[in-house]
Amino acid sequence: ASAVYRQAATENPAARAVDPENRLLWRMPRQRLDFEALRDSLLAVSGRLDDSIGGQPFEGVVNADKTRRTIYAFINRNDLPGVFRSFDFADPDSSAAERPKTTVPQQSLFAMNSKFIQEQSRQLAALTSSAVDDQSRLRRLYERIFAREPSPGEQGLALDYIAHARTTESDKLTPWERLTQVLLMTNEFVFAD
């Protein structure tokens, strides 16, 4: 059974045809990341995670300037931030055996509009900006975010987007930063393999 834990969650059409419910464990089932792991992962891939141990808690868990691990976030039981409620944070006033797992529009809206995520996208795009060409830059992004190279289809879509994207005065992100934001928030990243 330990080999199952080392498997990826990638699709295998032949295995799915034989075992659509994955009862024979031909792939690792996707597991949803909780908010703390998601936030720490975003900071880690953008190169900004402060992983120092100990110290004072910090306030403003969605503040882009706060880069400490989420475990050190200050939790005010009387004023729990809305982002915690949106991402199924356990009630700090009572014990819970496990967290509920909901999918609500606020989660996607946070991913699209959060200054915190936009800043991580900017930082990550800046980390890859020294690449020789767009293909190399895209490869660096995929290696940093997904620990793999993009498939030919993914590469084609991303490079086509970059070639045709325009930055307007109302945009908060450049095309590379926007692409980085989309890659950061894909299911492959939000769900751990």
Side-chain angles (χ1 to χ4, degrees):
S2 64
V4 173
Y5 292 100
R6 294 189 306 253
Q7 292 182 33
T10 51
E11 277 296 314
N12 179 339
R16 180 160 299 283
V18 173
D19 181 22
E21 289 87 28
N22 194 29
R23 289 186 180 155
L24 300 175
L25 304 176
W26 53 270
R27 71 179 179 99
M28 180 67 178
R30 289 182 179 238
Q31 299 174 5
R32 183 179 181 152
L33 291 179
D34 57 30
F35 178 74
E36 296 94 315
L38 172 64
R39 183 182 176 278
D40 289 355
S41 298
L42 290 167
L43 287 166
V45 298
S46 68
R48 301 186 69 220
L49 181 66
D50 174 2
D51 60 358
S52 58
I53 297 173
Q56 294 296 314
F58 69 93
E59 291 190 44
V61 72
V62 292
N63 184 333
D65 297 332
K66 306 295 183 180
T67 60
R68 295 221 43 217
R69 289 185 54 217
T70 312
I71 194 168
Y72 295 108
F74 177 75
I75 304 298
N76 182 345
R77 293 172 190 239
N78 296 325
D79 186 23
L80 195 63
V83 71
F84 282 136
R85 285 188 291 278
S86 294
F87 284 92
D88 304 322
F89 191 76
D91 181 1
D93 290 325
S94 62
S95 62
E98 66 182 72
R99 292 183 185 188
K101 293 180 181 159
T102 61
T103 302
V104 294
Q106 291 86 342
Q107 294 165 348
S108 296
L109 291 170
F110 175 79
M112 292 184 330
N113 301 319
S114 167
K115 287 182 170 73
F116 175 80
I117 293 179
Q118 290 174 0
E119 183 58 29
Q120 305 327 306
S121 301
R122 279 189 194 91
Q123 294 293 326
L124 183 52
L127 281 176
T128 62
S129 64
S130 64
V132 179
D133 59 13
D134 287 348
Q135 277 187 313
S136 299
R137 188 172 187 181
L138 183 64
R139 228 179 353 268
R140 284 186 186 176
L141 274 176
Y142 265 79
E143 287 170 359
R144 187 129 182 127
I145 297 171
F146 302 119
R148 66 172 178 83
E149 290 193 9
S151 71
E154 291 167 332
Q155 184 171 320
L157 283 172
L159 293 177
D160 186 53
Y161 169 76
I162 291 299
H164 295 95
R166 304 243 189 294
T167 302
T168 65
E169 289 181 26
S170 64
D171 282 340
K172 295 176 184 166
L173 301 174
T174 67
W176 274 104
E177 292 167 349
R178 178 70 60 206
L179 175 65
T180 302
Q181 181 182 17
V182 169
L183 293 176
L184 283 174
M185 298 316 301
T186 61
N187 284 341
E188 192 170 343
F189 183 74
V190 176
F191 291 87
D193 286 345

